[in-house]
Amino acid sequence: MEVSKLSEKRTPYYLYDLELLEKTLQCIQLEAGKHANFHVHYAIKANANPLILNVVRKYGFGIDCVSGGEIERCLSAGFNGSQIVFAGVAKSDEEIKLGLKNNIFSFNVESMEELTVIDEIAEQLGVKANVCLRINPDIDAHTHANITTGRAENKFGLSKIETVDLIAKTMGLKHVTFRGLHFHIGSQILEMGDFKSLCNEINELQDKIESAGYHLEIINVGGGLGIDYVNPNTNPIPDFHAYFSTFADNLKVRDGQEVHFELGRSIVGQCGTLITKALYVKKGSVKQFVMVDAGMTDLIRPALYDAYHKIENLSVMQNVRLSDQPIGVADTDVYDVVGPICESSDIFVKNYEMPITSRGDILAIRSAGAYGEAMACTYNCRTLPKSYTLADMS
Ligand code: LLP
């Protein structure tokens, strides 16, 4: 693909490689499919772009939603209610109604007060709600504090020591059906040992639950598998074999029990690139800045989580294909790559060695498919970035 094609569109914009997305989905289908009882949901919060949803839908995965807006987005993309799990941390009455009216697969319940409200609304609507209880397993997922969810001090989930009592209370309600438990320990997890710890916690809990006379039809282990932000070209598809095998080898699944997964980043992370243009190259007294037209409003991850995204100067590469290794012959310099937003934290990367960059160069901010476009905002009265596919550029 010619860089001139990329610069014909107004920058910044998201560019999606739907072929890579398909390959990633095929890999998940293959690896999860080795275990008859494994069911994968796509965590739509990672990227709700209809271009992405149309591809995901073809593979028959379920969907994990955290808001009424996400439920509506899935329904309009052609998913049906029975494919949706709804895990919002504080669901409004309207969102609960929307879920019930669409007969969603399960509500992942975050508090006993929420459970009572679901029971009341289900009664009003004359339906029964399927529920799983979200249990906080108190596990350190060794990831950034802002994306850790499974520690006891986090706002998510119900206390694991009360699980048996909570199940008993749930079983006592008339308008809900208890289906199982839900967990999610955090995001961008690369250590399979953390998922193994989750399995061990679940095994222990399941023994206690069974000795109290209850049965779990569903164990939902959430999402969290990380991607390689440093080497997206060499590792475009995460190690789904290792991931699913960890659960197959460590989770003591009972006969007929279903294991559900909610993967977001690992599905869409590598298929998205934020394309931006260098507006100016400024020499400060101690630093040199490449000032680009994308900002934290388009990709907030570096500002919010100190996240690293590889940046490539496509203009110094001949006949670029985004999945190729950059040609490593250009002279380089060291820059901070920064955006135009009036915030000191509007920095994509600091002290970054890259080919000598000039005004007008097209840069690719890689691995931006997950939590990139989905978290974009209009601060500074900016317009939201548009999106295209590689096919639009040929
Ligand atoms: N299930 C639940 C209940 C979740 O809260 C999340 C993510 C997922 C599944 C999907 O997790 P994944 O497979 O994508 O790791 N904006 C942050 C990530 C926030 C994750 C929120 N919850 C980032 O850009 O790193």
Side-chain angles (χ1 to χ4, degrees):
M1 185 208 327
E2 300 285 343
V3 179
S4 58
K5 277 274 173 205
L6 296 179
S7 57
E8 275 169 19
K9 308 278 185 210
R10 187 177 154 195
T11 51
Y13 59 86
Y14 276 90
L15 183 59
Y16 292 110
D17 180 347
L18 298 186
E19 215 178 288
L20 175 59
L21 176 60
E22 298 235 13
K23 283 188 189 147
T24 307
L25 292 163
Q26 283 157 11
C27 179
I28 296 172
Q29 213 166 37
L30 176 78
E31 294 300 336
K34 291 178 181 167
H35 315 283
N37 46 354
F38 282 13
H39 301 266
V40 177
H41 299 257
Y42 168 55
I44 185 183
K45 64 176 82 65
N47 191 320
N49 187 318
L51 291 168
I52 301 283
L53 296 182
N54 282 340
V55 178
V56 174
R57 199 196 57 241
K58 287 195 301 186
Y59 286 80
F61 296 147
I63 285 276
D64 159 39
C65 293
V66 289
S67 73
E70 287 189 351
I71 294 177
E72 277 162 353
R73 181 70 67 95
C74 300
L75 295 172
S76 57
F79 291 89
N80 58 58
S82 64
Q83 294 175 290
I84 297 175
V85 294
F86 181 19
V89 68
K91 302 169 187 73
S92 70
D93 294 18
E94 289 69 30
E95 289 174 321
I96 293 169
K97 271 182 205 151
L98 180 69
L100 288 172
K101 283 183 179 158
N102 285 288
N103 199 15
I104 62 169
F105 180 77
S106 158
F107 287 84
N108 292 331
V109 174
E110 299 259 358
S111 71
M112 290 318 272
E113 198 170 15
E114 177 194 326
L115 185 67
T116 318
V117 172
I118 293 175
D119 185 61
E120 282 166 14
I121 297 178
E123 180 176 16
Q124 286 159 20
L125 296 180
V127 294
K128 247 186 150 181
N130 285 320
V131 300
C132 287
L133 300 179
R134 177 170 181 176
I135 302 299
N136 185 321
D138 195 16
I139 286 176
D140 185 356
H142 304 105
T143 187
H144 191 280
N146 290 5
I147 50 174
T148 295
T149 49
R151 300 305 309 270
E153 68 265 28
N154 296 134
K155 69 176 176 180
F156 300 96
L158 293 149
S159 154
K160 76 174 167 190
I161 45 175
E162 292 170 41
T163 307
V164 172
D165 282 355
L166 297 173
I167 294 174
K169 283 186 187 141
T170 309
M171 302 286 272
L173 296 172
K174 288 206 184 79
H175 310 282
V176 301
T177 307
F178 174 72
R179 304 289 308 276
L181 298 183
H182 173 239
F183 305 84
H184 174 73
I185 56 173
S187 202
Q188 184 51 17
I189 299 167
L190 294 165
E191 281 300 317
M192 291 306 121
D194 293 329
F195 293 119
K196 191 174 170 190
S197 304
L198 173 62
C199 292
N200 294 341
E201 279 294 334
I202 298 175
N203 292 339
E204 225 176 272
L205 208 50
Q206 178 151 235
D207 288 344
K208 278 191 203 143
I209 290 166
E210 284 182 347
S211 35
Y214 300 116
H215 171 69
L216 305 175
E217 283 170 60
I218 294 170
I219 297 177
N220 183 331
V221 296
L225 177 63
I227 61 169
D228 190 341
Y229 282 97
V230 180
N231 302 301
N233 296 321
T234 35
N235 290 319
I237 299 180
D239 190 349
F240 290 110
H241 175 75
Y243 175 71
F244 288 114
S245 301
T246 300
F247 288 94
D249 295 345
N250 294 286
L251 194 61
K252 293 184 186 150
V253 180
R254 311 301 196 244
D255 272 353
Q257 204 165 46
E258 294 179 7
V259 183
H260 289 246
F261 298 84
E262 301 169 341
L263 296 173
R265 185 190 318 266
S266 54
I267 297 182
V268 290
Q270 298 293 21
C271 79
T273 298
L274 179 59
I275 301 291
T276 183
K277 193 182 282 174
L279 292 177
Y280 304 100
V281 180
K282 174 162 98 172
K283 261 196 188 352
S285 51
V286 288
K287 289 244 178 191
Q288 203 171 198
F289 301 98
V290 174
M291 313 178 88
V292 297
D293 60 3
M296 62 195 286
T297 51
D298 307 296
L299 177 66
I300 201 172
R301 303 195 67 260
L304 199 55
Y305 317 113
D306 290 321
Y308 172 80
H309 286 262
K310 185 181 172 78
I311 300 182
E312 291 167 342
N313 183 329
L314 301 183
S315 296
V316 298
M317 297 154 69
Q318 298 293 306
N319 295 326
V320 180
R321 276 177 52 93
L322 283 177
S323 54
D324 284 345
Q325 288 284 6
I327 301 159
V329 292
D331 285 340
T332 62
D333 212 335
V334 175
Y335 303 97
D336 281 12
V337 179
V338 301
I341 313 298
C342 292
E343 293 283 339
S344 311
S345 54
D346 184 29
I347 297 172
F348 287 111
V349 67
K350 284 184 180 170
N351 302 323
Y352 192 64
E353 184 173 356
M354 60 192 273
I356 290 178
T357 296
S358 318
R359 172 171 163 82
D361 283 356
I362 296 288
L363 307 190
I365 306 182
R366 301 290 307 278
S367 313
Y371 308 108
E373 192 181 1
M375 294 179 80
C377 73
T378 58
Y379 179 48
N380 283 190
C381 290
R382 285 167 61 83
T383 44
L384 289 172
K386 286 198 168 160
S387 59
Y388 301 97
T389 68
L390 278 183
D392 295 327
M393 301 295 164
S394 54

